[in-house]
Amino acid sequence: MNKYEGHSQLLLRPRTTQQVSEILQYCYAGRLAVVPQGGNTGLVGGSVPVFDEVILNLGAMNKILNFDEASGILVCEAGCILESLDNYVGSRGYVMPLDLGAKGSCQIGGNVSTNAGGLRLLRYGSLHGNVLGLEVVLADGTVLDLLGTLRKDNTGYDLKQLFIGGEGTLGVVTKVSIITPPKLASTNVAFLACEDYVSCQKTFAQAKLQLGEILSAFEFLDRYALDVVLKHLDGTRDPLPDSKQHFYLLVETTGSNQLHDKEKLDAFLESAIEQGLITDGAVAQDISQAASFWKVREGVAEAMGKGGAVYKYDLSIPLKDLYTLVEDMRSRLKDSATVVGYGHMGDGNLHLNIMAPKYDNELLAQIEPYVYEWTAAAKGSISAEHGLGFMKAKAIHYSKSTAAVQVMEGFKKLLDPRGILNPYKVLPSPSESHVISEAT
């Protein structure tokens, strides 16, 4: 989004945990600021050396250390590419519990450090529930071995949770233990059209009720998003060319019995049509068509970047109000920008994208802090799955109380008293303002 430009003079690519430890010992002693970096696919500047930090890139630590085919527990290094891991466990009858548009380049360490959500969260939950253990190197080089593989371990504080979503400010994740669910044989994908957002909500309610345990994804996009994809992304086609509705839904089911699952999906669709909730729809007839449906939904983010300047916001908002912000922003910005709404309706995650011919400070002033104020008033979160990074560090108070932020700052001071780990990110802490990197 042309928001940040790195200024580092040094990038290090350790191959072992010991090398990470030695690097951090050195930097801690010399008060050299360090920015941990994975696949560098984030949207909030969390992995960017915004001043002159040393880059600690984990990409060379990409070994799969162990996979238990009986339990589905995977142990790997932090630099493993998510798609590579999914392919590895997929060939053994399992899937990774998260799936992202950036899966071809994002790394599992970065996924954990940002608590990435994505397309499978509705079915499998967040990484807070799927990560069983971590190996983490602290700011002073101490190696913290939390790399357990047990589903149940109730001995003391669950320290690994501090580092899931910590964005590299408390420690550097070097190894991950994660539970992977079985790869189910039956998958169905439907692309549906709705006249209004209320119908989308009611369709989701019926999907939960009628599809139950086989419902694995429930995504939505508005007409603006679909048009952008069809215009800017090669290889996409309109799944419902005769329908010109305002909203579209992608519904996926996964289960173990194709006949049973298809019957449930057909009954759900028939009911939704009878109730007037959906006006049109198509069910993928094969893997290729299912992939084409998913390409439309997953391609929105990529397509946005080809239409000029884009301002992106990742928000959690109560479901009944999810689209109201999009409508309010259209009224607020009028003809100065195109406002697009899409996201993971199944978990209340709105991706608000605002497109304009070029980046403009006057336009930005109309967007921020209004988006954050609106979200706070709706009891939402200013970051659903991308983290706070540099972009939203000063906005954390819109979602967290002063007392909560103070507790977070306490953890930061305890684990990184010299403030060398990913400074200026996540927390607007004055204690970090003194950190100055020195060229070596």
Side-chain angles (χ1 to χ4, degrees), residues 177-244:
S177 167
I178 188 168
I179 183 75
T180 66
K183 186 176 184 179
L184 300 175
S186 166
T187 299
N188 293 289
V189 180
F191 200 88
L192 313 175
C194 292
E195 185 176 355
D196 51 43
Y197 181 68
V198 172
S199 297
C200 293
Q201 293 181 73
K202 291 181 178 179
T203 303
F204 179 47
Q206 287 299 309
K208 290 189 292 182
L209 182 65
Q210 297 186 42
L211 299 176
E213 78 287 352
I214 66 170
L215 181 63
S216 55
F218 197 98
E219 304 287 308
F220 93 101
L221 62 158
D222 62 17
R223 183 73 213 187
Y224 294 87
L226 179 59
D227 287 342
V228 169
V229 170
L230 297 176
K231 180 179 180 180
H232 294 291
L233 203 60
D234 293 339
T236 56
R237 63 178 185 82
D238 192 339
L240 301 172
D242 296 327
S243 176
K244 302 298 179 183

Side-chain angles (χ1 to χ4, degrees), residues 327-357:
E327 295 170 330
D328 285 358
M329 289 305 298
R330 286 193 184 125
S331 298
R332 181 177 176 84
L333 300 179
K334 297 182 172 58
D335 295 333
S336 62
T338 299
V339 182
V340 174
Y342 67 100
H344 315 300
M345 192 168 183
D347 50 53
N349 183 184
L350 170 69
H351 293 309
L352 173 70
N353 283 203
I354 299 170
M355 298 174 59

Side-chain angles (χ1 to χ4, degrees), residues 58-59 61-64 76-85 106-109 111:
L58 279 294
M61 296 180 64
N62 57 6
K63 300 184 186 69
I64 294 173
C76 64
E77 292 183 323
C80 291
I81 301 295
L82 177 59
E83 188 171 41
S84 299
L85 292 177
C106 67
Q107 298 171 12
I108 191 64
N111 299 151

